[in-house]
Amino acid sequence: MARNQVQFQPGLSLTNFLKRYATEEQCREALFKLRWPAGFICPECGHQGACCQLARRLYQCNRCHHQASLTARTIFDSTKLPLTTWFLAIYLLTQRKNSLSALQLSRELGVSYNTAWQLKHKIMQVMFERERNTVLSGRIEVDDAYLGGERPGKRGRGSENKVPFIAAVQTSAEGHPQYLQIRRVRAFTLKAIGSYAQQSVAPGSTVFSDGLACFRAFDARECQHLPIVTGSGRASAQHPTFKWVNTLLGNVKNALTGTFHAFDLKHAPRYLAEFEYRFNRRFDLGAMIERFSYAALRTPPMPYRLLKLAEVYA
C-alpha cells in the first residue's frame, strides 16, 4: 500500500531548525525579511529608509525620525524573552500532531510556568486570529459538539459546565478532508449558527448536517443544506456522510484530553484554533515556522491583561 504523502512528509527536523534559528541575529534577520521584504518602511509616515541604532536595536526613519522596533505592534511587542526562545516555542507547538501543555513547555524552554503560559497563549492567539476569517466552500460536513467533563449541576444541552462548539470539514470531490473549522458558539440556536454561517461558509456550498433544528440557518446563507437524521449512539457516529467530521472531532478531543489535565474553558476558542491551525497547514510542515512568523508579525500585541480575558466567539 502506498504511503500517505502528507502523513509521511519529512517536515522541519530539529537539526535544520537549529541551523536556521540558533542565534538571536538569525531570528532577527528572519523576522526583518518577513516584516519588511523590500526594506524598512516607517510605520508612521510610510517612508522607506532608516538608520539603525545598534545599541537599542531600533530603526530611525530618515524622514520623520520616528524610532521603530522590529517587534513593535506585533505579537512579540515588549517581549523580554530572547527571540530564540520564541522560535523554539513556535517550533515545539507547530511541528507535532498534538499540543504541548504550558507546564511541559516551561520545562522544554527553561522558563517559569507563568512565562510559558503567556508565551503559549500568545502563540495560540496568532493561530486564532489567522483562522477566524477563513471561509469554507464546496462540500461541507458539520456537527455539534461540547467540551467539558462531568460536573455537578445541569446535564446535557444548556449545562454551564460544557462549552458548545461547531465542527465543519471541507472535503474534496474525491472525499478527502481539506480544511477544518472548529468554532465555539454561544448556543445551538438559529441565531448563533446563522452568525457562524454568515462569517465562515461561502454561499452556494453544499452542507450536510444532522437533524438538529439550528442547522436550518444554512438555508438562509443560500447553501444547499441536506439534513440527515442519524439518531444517537455509535451507529450515528459511523454514518458515512459524516465520516471526516466525526473522525476529526474524535482527534480534537483526544488531543486535548491527552495533553491537558484541565484548562480554563473561557480560553476554549484558542485551544480549538491551535488544532485547527495545525491541521489546515499539514500539507507543508517545513514552511510552518516561516508562515507562522509572517502571521505573528501582523497580529496586534496581546498584553497579559487582555490575554487572560475570555475570547470573543460567534
Side-chain angles (χ1 to χ4, degrees), residues 90-125:
I90 293 168
Y91 176 82
L92 293 173
L93 291 173
T94 59
Q95 293 295 307
R96 60 183 64 204
K97 189 172 183 178
N98 292 334
S99 186
L100 196 68
S101 68
L103 180 59
Q104 185 60 34
L105 186 63
S106 71
R107 293 167 178 160
E108 300 277 359
L109 300 179
V111 298
S112 69
Y113 173 82
N114 288 342
T115 297
W117 187 93
Q118 292 186 53
L119 184 55
K120 176 177 173 59
H121 277 261
K122 287 185 178 185
I123 290 173
M124 290 195 299
Q125 180 66 23

Side-chain angles (χ1 to χ4, degrees), residues 147-155 159 161-162:
L147 285 180
E150 296 183 2
R151 297 181 186 177
K154 183 178 179 181
R155 301 177 63 183
S159 170
N161 302 323
K162 292 185 180 294

Side-chain angles (χ1 to χ4, degrees), residues 261-272:
H261 292 296
F263 62 85
D264 196 327
L265 291 177
K266 72 179 183 180
H267 297 307
R270 282 198 199 118
Y271 287 95
L272 294 173

